[in-house]
């Protein structure tokens, strides 16, 4: 999800930030207003794509389940959006194609949160899963959403926030799902008992320690 989504987002931001023709087309369709893609949006998409590629590459080198594979939903989403991208690029303008890329990224953001939320619900637990990234994601979503609204307000047209639908939607999606995760972790499933970790601790405690009285020469006399 992340590699595919952030690749689309990086192309979208690059086109809107550097392309004069894309900027002129946006202004023509939005009463002369400039688009709200900023340098920090460009940097964020490149940075996220680079780290996603690193993580994706690690999955081929480090140990993982031999039965691990993409779900049917992931494969369906990928092939349908790829087909849609081909159709839009051949039947419509470059501007619409770039916008379609942004909606692919928005779809990735909407879908990728669902499996973890469902897994937490089924297990009635968040053990083995870090809440810290969610806290950072929640803060980032609020700041990103706030920046978009402030930029639109400064331009004199608050409706311009909708001119960057992927950033607007990503902010709402991350805030909404992060609230679900925070509620699951701190309100609904507060039991931090991990049976696998507990069994590992018992096995460690039952192991003889070198240098102890029981295993020394003195202890065997």
């Amino acid at each position: 999800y992340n590699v595919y989504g952030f690749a689309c987002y990086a192309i979208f931001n690059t086109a809107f930030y550097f392309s004069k023709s894309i900027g002129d087309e946006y202004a023509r369709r939005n009463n002369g207003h400039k688009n709200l893609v900023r340098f920090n949006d460009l940097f964020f998409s490149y940075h996220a794509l680079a780290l996603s590629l690193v993580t994706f590459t690690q999955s081929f080198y480090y140990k993982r389940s031999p039965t691990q594979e993409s779900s049917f939903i992931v494969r369906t989403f990928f092939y349908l959006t790829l087909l849609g991208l081909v159709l839009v690029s051949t039947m419509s303008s470059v501007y619409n194609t770039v916008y379609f890329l942004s909606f692919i990224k928005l779809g990735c953001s909407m879908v990728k949160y669902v499996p973890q939320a469902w897994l937490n619900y089924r297990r009635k637990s968040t053990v083995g899963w870090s809440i810290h990234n969610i806290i950072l994601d929640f803060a980032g979503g609020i700041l990103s959403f706030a920046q978009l609204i402030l930029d639109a307000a400064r331009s004199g047209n608050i409706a311009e926030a909708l001119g960057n639908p992927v950033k607007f939607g990503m902010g709402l999606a991350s805030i909404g799902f992060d609230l679900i995760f925070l509620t699951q972790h701190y309100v609904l499933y507060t039991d931090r008992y991990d049976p696998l970790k507990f069994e590992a601790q018992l096995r460690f405690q039952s192991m003889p320690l070198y240098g102890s009285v029981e295993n020394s020469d003195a202890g065997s006399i």
Side-chain angles (χ1 to χ4, degrees):
Y1 277 127
N2 280 336
V3 173
Y4 183 43
F6 282 120
C8 293
Y9 192 39
I11 296 172
F12 169 80
N13 283 329
T14 301
F16 268 78
Y17 190 80
F18 290 108
S19 175
K20 185 178 184 302
S21 60
I22 295 291
D24 292 342
E25 180 65 17
Y26 178 90
R28 188 182 68 81
R29 298 189 184 194
N30 292 273
N31 300 319
H33 294 286
K34 295 182 178 180
N35 73 81
L36 296 180
V37 174
R38 302 290 183 257
F39 177 77
N40 60 292
D41 300 315
L42 195 67
F43 177 81
F44 168 74
S45 58
Y46 289 162
H47 176 263
L49 176 59
L51 292 184
S52 297
L53 284 171
V54 170
T55 305
F56 181 69
T57 303
Q58 287 177 333
S59 67
F60 292 99
Y61 287 95
Y62 298 141
K63 184 179 179 180
R64 62 175 180 173
S65 172
T67 60
Q68 182 178 351
E69 62 178 14
S70 300
S71 67
F72 173 76
I73 296 178
V74 171
R75 294 194 299 270
T76 302
F77 177 84
F78 176 77
Y79 290 126
L80 286 180
T81 53
L82 196 60
L83 176 61
L85 180 60
V86 172
L87 293 176
V88 172
S89 62
T90 55
M91 301 174 61
S92 188
S93 64
V94 175
Y95 181 88
N96 290 334
T97 302
V98 171
Y99 246 106
F100 186 80
L101 288 172
S102 74
F103 285 111
I104 291 178
K105 168 54 187 163
L106 182 58
C108 290
S109 297
M110 294 293 293
V111 173
K112 72 177 183 179
Y113 290 107
V114 175
Q116 187 63 58
W118 176 249
L119 181 63
N120 292 344
Y121 169 75
R122 287 187 58 188
R123 295 172 62 234
K124 299 295 187 291
S125 172
T126 60
V127 169
W129 169 75
S130 176
I131 192 65
H132 303 103
N133 284 341
I134 297 302
I135 295 174
L136 293 174
D137 190 57
F138 181 67
I142 291 178
L143 294 174
S144 176
F145 191 72
Q147 183 220 344
L148 187 62
I149 297 299
L150 289 174
D151 283 343
R154 287 182 59 191
S155 70
N157 182 15
I158 195 66
E160 279 194 19
L162 299 177
N164 190 344
V166 62
K167 188 172 183 178
F168 186 86
M170 283 172 56
L172 289 181
S174 64
I175 291 172
F177 277 100
D178 289 341
L179 286 174
I180 293 175
F181 291 135
L182 290 169
T183 302
Q184 288 179 327
H185 188 77
Y186 291 112
V187 179
L188 299 178
Y189 315 131
T190 57
D191 185 5
R192 301 293 181 258
Y193 170 73
D194 185 352
L196 295 178
K197 184 177 180 180
F198 182 70
E199 291 176 3
Q201 290 175 343
L202 288 180
R203 288 195 298 270
F204 176 77
Q205 292 173 0
S206 64
M207 293 174 60
L209 299 178
Y210 292 103
S212 63
V213 174
E214 293 82 357
N215 294 282
S216 64
D217 292 337
S220 62
I221 296 175

